[in-house]
Amino acid sequence: QVQLVESGGGAVQLGGSLTLSCAASGSVFTIRNMGWYLQAPGKSRELVADITTGGRPTYVPTVAGRFTISKENGKDTIYLQMKNFRWEDAGVYYCYVDQLDRGSFAGRSWGQGTQVSVSL
């Protein structure tokens, strides 16, 4: 099992910036990729960005060019740098990892979520 601890949530001004972090521990050797989902108020959880263990990022179109996902070399920690914050970026951000077992997908683990709110 992999445990995830998120940090960095809080309040951000419209157009402002905020960086989230997510640290993985436990069976980290099984990790295939890590990423972030956003659950906005009244909506289902949706993918924001993903990064492979090799550092290749993927973004949904609504955040491409504004958000940057990165992985700290040698550590099982990822970051989500958010810029030019919009109203629709607010909500609870969840970190996740997808795990492998002998080359096959073995499940997804989630963090506890971190709240990000936006104000004028």
Side-chain angles (χ1 to χ4, degrees):
Q1 273 288 39
V2 175
Q3 294 78 43
L4 300 171
V5 177
E6 300 139 332
S7 60
V12 60
Q13 286 190 322
L14 196 65
S17 301
L18 191 70
T19 298
L20 306 179
S21 65
C22 174
S25 62
S27 302
V28 296
F29 57 90
T30 65
I31 294 175
R32 181 183 69 181
N33 54 291
M34 300 177 68
W36 295 92
Y37 271 66
L38 165 65
Q39 186 162 19
K43 294 187 177 182
S44 58
R45 203 175 291 189
E46 295 180 345
L47 178 67
V48 174
D50 178 271
I51 190 165
T52 66
T53 52
R56 184 183 66 193
T58 303
Y59 303 96
V60 296
T62 52
V63 307
R66 298 189 299 119
F67 289 12
T68 301
I69 188 170
S70 60
K71 185 176 182 297
E72 189 169 353
N73 287 337
K75 294 187 179 181
D76 299 293
T77 300
I78 62 169
Y79 303 91
L80 185 67
Q81 184 181 28
M82 303 181 288
K83 296 182 178 179
N84 192 17
F85 213 78
R86 301 173 180 172
W87 291 113
E88 58 265 34
D89 296 328
V92 181
Y93 283 78
Y94 293 92
C95 176
Y96 72 91
V97 297
D98 286 338
Q99 297 173 248
L100 292 177
D101 181 7
R102 285 165 286 187
S104 298
F105 178 69
R108 174 170 287 182
S109 298
W110 295 92
Q112 79 283 2
T114 185
Q115 178 77 48
V116 178
S117 60
V118 61
S119 62
L120 289 172

